[in-house]
Amino acid sequence: MTASFFPRALLLLIVGSLIACSTPRKGDIPMADKVPPLPTGMVPDTAPLPPPIARPGSRWVPVRWAELPGLAEDDVHQALQAWQHSCTAPPAALARLCPDIRRLGLANTAQIWHWLQTHMQPYRVEDHSGNSNGMLTAYYEPFFNAQRQPDPVFRYPLYAAPVGVEGFGKRKPWLSRQQIESSPSVQAALAGHEIAWLDDPVKVLVLHIQGSGRLNMTEPDGRQRQVRAAFAATNDHPYRSVGKWLLERGLVRDATWPGITAWTQANPSRVQEMLWSNPRYVFFREEALDEVSSNFGPKGAQGVPLTAERSIAVDRRSIPYGTPVWLSSSGPTQALNRLVLAQDTGSAIVGAVRADYFMGSGEIAGDIAGRTKQDLRLWVLWPKGAPAP
């Protein structure tokens, strides 16, 4: 049974007492100049560590909180909203903590850190060979203009899942991207499944890669409204990187999205060839956007809305959905030390120490996401005394 959340005044008193008594005695722990500073509200932990946890795709090694880099840099309040979203569909071991997570929104930073240290055990994520270094990429929710009806400019469709079309959902994989887009009979079978039309086939590909997007939709009567094109299904083909395809042929040196965009603008006659190099095809469903849902990203694989800069996609064999994770990454795009939640997955997100960082929505988020490819280390936070996932 988890400890109940302390009343604010009492917890402040306890935290203050802990801080006042936090000077270690000689021999208790390494000297302070060898231990990274802990946030206010935490004290050096010296309790015996639990055993490692084996996952199908990773190994979790228990560590002291002081191993996690940059703890004092993060505003952990910002992570609570993402954690509260996970509490609408939590893993069994984390469900018992959710009442506290909801109340922690009223706590101060010291109280949150004290609660985390009291209830959670950090584990370093490694692969089964002991390697704890991995790769971070990022993704975002694009925002494009779209139309309900096609015209000579807006002529590239986004399709709903073609339920009832021969072979779909029964033959896996189904037709490839090239087969879907080049076969007149397939195009005829898909007629009526369009949910929107875009003005650029590369934008369609971006939506297929990111898995969702916001559309500024123009209706037949001229009215405009914002809707979300949310992930619905795929043709079950593997994802192939168009950036890698360009690099392998020596067509670009910069395979970030800005580099790819520059190549497509300079080589319009080869764009279709590039698009067909990725056989994976995504189908969408339309979702309305209201004042609440427009503040958050699309629903991830956990089934909860993603939170900008606080949600990550992971390999489920390594980290279960809903798990809080300390993420540390340094690179040319951005340096990150922060608490995030594992709430999504992706066909290219494979490996023990692998994450895709949700940047948010729009052009700025897309620019940063398109340039993010850097080193990564991960630590999961798992409830003390809870069974292994």
Side-chain angles (χ1 to χ4, degrees):
M1 179 180 296
T2 187
S4 62
F5 183 71
F6 292 103
R8 184 181 181 91
L10 178 58
L11 188 50
L12 279 172
L13 177 62
I14 293 172
V15 170
S17 300
L18 288 170
I19 296 168
C21 299
S22 63
T23 303
R25 295 170 297 176
K26 185 176 180 180
D28 281 351
I29 60 170
M31 295 300 291
D33 61 352
K34 296 182 181 179
V35 178
L38 294 171
T40 300
M42 299 182 75
V43 297
D45 50 333
T46 58
L49 293 174
I53 294 175
R55 292 279 300 161
S58 65
R59 183 172 181 262
W60 297 0
V61 180
V63 300
R64 304 293 182 191
W65 280 94
E67 177 175 306
L68 280 60
L71 287 180
E73 301 172 13
D74 189 30
D75 182 357
V76 287
H77 277 100
Q78 296 176 4
L80 292 179
Q81 193 165 59
W83 200 335
Q84 289 167 3
H85 285 160
S86 279
C87 278
T88 63
L94 289 159
R96 62 189 178 92
L97 302 179
C98 286
D100 280 4
I101 296 303
R102 297 184 182 99
R103 288 190 285 265
L104 279 171
L106 300 176
N108 62 34
T109 301
Q111 290 172 324
I112 296 172
W113 281 117
H114 175 73
W115 185 93
L116 286 168
Q117 187 179 27
T118 301
H119 292 82
M120 309 300 287
Q121 169 63 49
Y123 293 82
R124 183 176 62 250
V125 181
E126 302 177 346
D127 64 22
H128 288 294
S129 70
N131 180 24
S132 61
N133 296 312
M135 183 176 68
L136 179 73
T137 52
Y139 65 121
Y140 77 112
E141 187 177 38
F143 194 178
F144 294 137
N145 291 326
Q147 292 187 178
R148 187 70 66 187
Q149 299 293 336
D151 65 20
V153 175
F154 286 80
R155 55 194 178 93
Y156 303 100
L158 295 181
Y159 289 113
V163 177
V165 174
E166 183 179 358
F168 181 77
K170 299 177 181 178
R171 187 172 76 242
K172 296 185 178 184
W174 196 51
L175 306 175
S176 69
R177 176 181 298 274
Q178 181 173 355
Q179 290 170 322
I180 291 170
E181 294 182 343
S182 64
S183 169
S185 62
V186 174
Q187 291 290 297
L190 291 175
H193 289 84
E194 305 92 349
I195 65 169
W197 298 82
L198 272 62
D199 60 348
D200 186 341
V202 177
K203 292 178 182 178
V204 173
L205 178 68
V206 170
L207 283 169
H208 285 203
I209 292 173
Q210 302 302 324
S212 69
R214 299 190 187 204
L215 304 178
N216 185 30
M217 182 78 77
T218 300
E219 301 289 356
D221 62 4
R223 290 182 300 112
Q224 291 189 335
R225 62 192 185 98
Q226 287 190 22
V227 301
R228 172 171 281 139
F231 177 91
T234 76
N235 61 349
D236 293 300
H237 279 262
Y239 167 76
R240 304 295 184 200
S241 167
V242 295
K244 184 177 180 181
W245 182 87
L246 290 167
L247 286 171
E248 289 175 343
R249 285 153 182 78
L251 301 175
V252 299
R253 293 182 179 179
D254 175 14
T256 64
W257 268 110
I260 294 171
T261 300
W263 182 87
T264 62
Q265 292 171 349
N267 299 274
S269 64
R270 298 197 67 183
V271 167
Q272 189 66 74
E273 181 185 2
M274 180 197 75
L275 298 177
W276 285 349
S277 72
N278 174 27
R280 187 175 179 85
Y281 202 90
V282 173
F283 302 97
F284 299 90
R285 64 175 180 274
E286 182 179 323
E287 294 182 352
L289 285 172
D290 55 28
E291 291 185 4
V292 175
S293 60
S294 62
N295 290 325
F296 301 104
K299 290 183 179 180
Q302 190 190 358
V304 304
L306 303 178
T307 302
E309 301 183 61
R310 293 292 170 172
S311 298
I312 59 172
V314 296
D315 186 337
R316 264 186 99 180
R317 299 175 309 129
S318 176
I319 301 173
Y321 296 150
T323 303
V325 178
W326 188 259
L327 178 151
S328 180
S329 179
S330 60
T333 303
Q334 53 187 332
L336 297 168
N337 289 301
R338 60 179 48 197
L339 182 62
V340 296
L341 275 292
Q343 295 176 323
D344 202 4
T345 193
S347 60
I349 312 306
V350 178
V353 190
R354 179 74 175 91
D356 211 16
Y357 182 67
F358 180 63
M359 279 301 307
S361 303
E363 185 175 352
I364 294 175
D367 178 64
I368 299 172
R371 292 184 285 109
T372 299
K373 187 176 183 181
Q374 54 196 52
D375 295 339
L376 174 67
R377 290 184 294 162
L378 298 173
W379 291 261
V380 297
L381 308 184
W382 196 249
K384 291 181 177 179

